[in-house]
Amino acid sequence: MRLPNGNVVPMIESNEQMASLMTIFNLGYLAVFGVFVLLFWHAYRKREALELNELERFDTRETMLESSLNCGIAIVSLLVLVIGGVGRAGLAGMAYMLTPIVMTLNGKIMGARRRKLKERL
């Protein structure tokens, strides 16, 4: 990082710092998407009271699944840290490169299912 006085200093100086950074990031990511899972699960449990139609119920389940997949990616990254130790902190960060792959596959599968459901309705 370049300081205002022109000096360049490293932002992360050791594997331990990288591991701490990844642990904090993973736990935050897991917490955010975990809250989304719980919110949509609660909405789905209240589907009768909310008078959700079949398409809205599908969308609620799909969003819950998408958030769960994001939680899974955070767990994979945490497992890399736990199993691989601080020396694998960079690899733990690279686990998030699974996100576009997993989300694209999920979007294609669930999009096709949603189109079929919409046609049926």
Side-chain angles (χ1 to χ4, degrees):
M1 176 165 98
R2 184 173 299 280
L3 299 176
N5 66 4
N7 291 340
V8 177
V9 295
M11 291 178 64
I12 298 175
E13 297 178 350
S14 67
N15 283 340
E16 288 77 16
Q17 285 181 337
M18 179 62 129
S20 294
L21 175 70
M22 285 310 305
T23 300
I24 293 165
F25 181 83
N26 287 331
L27 294 174
Y29 196 90
L30 187 58
V32 168
F33 283 101
V35 167
F36 288 155
V37 169
L38 294 173
L39 287 171
F40 281 97
W41 179 56
H42 180 69
Y44 190 74
R45 284 184 31 229
K46 301 285 185 180
R47 62 190 176 272
E48 298 300 329
L50 294 170
E51 299 177 8
L52 299 180
N53 63 35
E54 194 170 349
L55 194 58
E56 291 168 332
R57 291 175 186 206
F58 177 87
D59 288 343
T60 303
R61 288 190 312 269
E62 193 278 327
T63 304
M64 197 172 13
L65 173 62
E66 185 177 296
S67 294
S68 297
L69 290 170
N70 275 299
C71 287
I73 291 169
I75 291 168
V76 166
S77 183
L78 277 170
L79 286 173
V80 169
L81 280 173
V82 169
I83 294 168
V86 296
R88 297 283 187 249
L91 184 59
M94 292 178 72
Y96 284 91
M97 293 175 74
L98 292 170
T99 304
I101 298 165
V102 170
M103 293 300 116
T104 299
L105 289 173
N106 181 59
K108 286 184 178 282
I109 293 167
M110 298 310 279
R113 289 180 183 175
R114 189 179 195 282
R115 281 188 294 279
K116 286 180 186 177
L117 176 61
K118 199 170 180 181
E119 288 173 6
R120 187 171 55 84
L121 297 176

